[in-house]
Amino acid sequence: MNDHSTPQPVVRLDGVVKEFVSTTALDGLSLEVGAGEAVAVIGPSGCGKSTMLNMVAGLDRPTAGTVTVHGEDLGALNETALALFRRRRVGMIFQFFNLLDDLPALDNVALAAQLAGVAARPARERALELLGELGIANRRDVYPAALSGGERQRVAVARALMNRPGLLLADEPTGALDSHAGEQVMDLLLDLNQMGQTLMIVTHDPRLAQRCASRVVRMADGHVVSDRSLERA
Ligand code: ADP
């Protein structure tokens, strides 16, 4: 069941251990994700899903083991290089959107490119194009507080896609949404994957896994306990 090795995986976790003061969150986790896959990572609360995703995003470092993304050993990167990696090579979507409240939708999206070194004008042009593709260009000047949950998550998806990351990571992307908005976000993730975007989605929602994923990895107690490919309609 665990035979998912690919010649050049986008993500490779090898024997990853993460210890916090009183817990071992990851206990020798190994996993490979190939280009174009949509991998849902499921498992009970506290089994280490978010910790694993944070390692892949370069937001945290393992206690032991290696994390390789796009062929780059993240453990070999200093803090500056790791910050660049986060801005340019991965996009991340969170349960609670993580938008900046005092910027309208368009600037929330454009900022991601400006932080990666793109000038303001082309950044805003690309941001508007993405908002258009995600069906919310008409909300460009609206502040997050006045957007619906589904609109906020679409702005967050646009922001995550700004720098054309080879890998899109999502941590409970539908967790704060009602079922209608959740389904729109699921459809969006599915469309992105069908256009070739590699995805890793952490979720405890089996519907999300079933609908968007080409493969479901189940974790328990800090490691992978099952790994299966799904047939998609
Ligand atoms: P999941 O995403 O599957 O719910 P997490 O990765 O959030 O699980 O957490 C795994 C374990 O690590 C839990 O026991 C959690 O309490 C612990 N943990 C996560 N982050 C921290 C942290 N920053 N400090 C201390 N313990 C943490």
Side-chain angles (χ1 to χ4, degrees), residues 40-43 49 172 174 186 201-213 215-216 218 228 230:
V41 180
I42 62 171
K49 303 184 297 296
E172 299 285 2
T174 59
M186 287 184 213
I201 309 166
V202 160
T203 182
H204 62 252
D205 180 351
R207 280 183 321 140
L208 176 61
Q210 202 67 38
R211 183 137 165 193
C212 302
R215 177 177 159 207
V216 176
R218 181 180 293 275
R228 67 193 170 93
L230 293 182

Side-chain angles (χ1 to χ4, degrees), residues 18-129:
K18 179 64 179 181
E19 286 170 357
F20 291 112
V21 178
S22 58
T23 329
T24 300
L26 298 177
D27 187 17
L29 182 143
S30 297
L31 178 67
E32 286 187 1
V33 176
E37 284 196 285
V39 176
V41 180
I42 62 171
S45 181
C47 73
K49 303 184 297 296
S50 296
T51 303
M52 182 276 300
L53 208 65
N54 288 344
M55 301 286 149
V56 176
L59 288 167
D60 204 352
R61 293 178 186 272
T63 311
T66 56
V67 180
T68 311
V69 181
H70 303 307
E72 195 142 39
D73 175 1
L74 302 192
L77 302 182
N78 64 23
E79 290 307 314
T80 311
L82 201 58
L84 273 182
F85 164 85
R86 282 195 298 269
R87 284 175 191 163
R88 295 190 176 155
R89 310 296 310 271
V90 292
M92 190 135 185
I93 310 164
F94 302 90
Q95 178 173 6
F96 294 110
F97 326 118
N98 289 24
L99 299 175
L100 297 172
D101 291 336
D102 50 0
L103 289 181
L106 184 75
D107 297 276
N108 258 286
V109 178
L111 186 64
Q114 290 174 264
L115 289 173
V118 177
R121 193 179 165 144
R124 289 171 67 84
E125 283 168 4
R126 168 143 174 86
L128 188 57
E129 189 183 298

Side-chain angles (χ1 to χ4, degrees), residues 99 136 139 142 146-156 181 184:
L99 299 175
I136 45 170
R139 308 296 273 158
V142 179
L147 296 170
S148 71
E151 288 171 342
R152 279 181 218 163
Q153 197 59 301
R154 277 184 278 167
V155 172
Q184 286 184 336

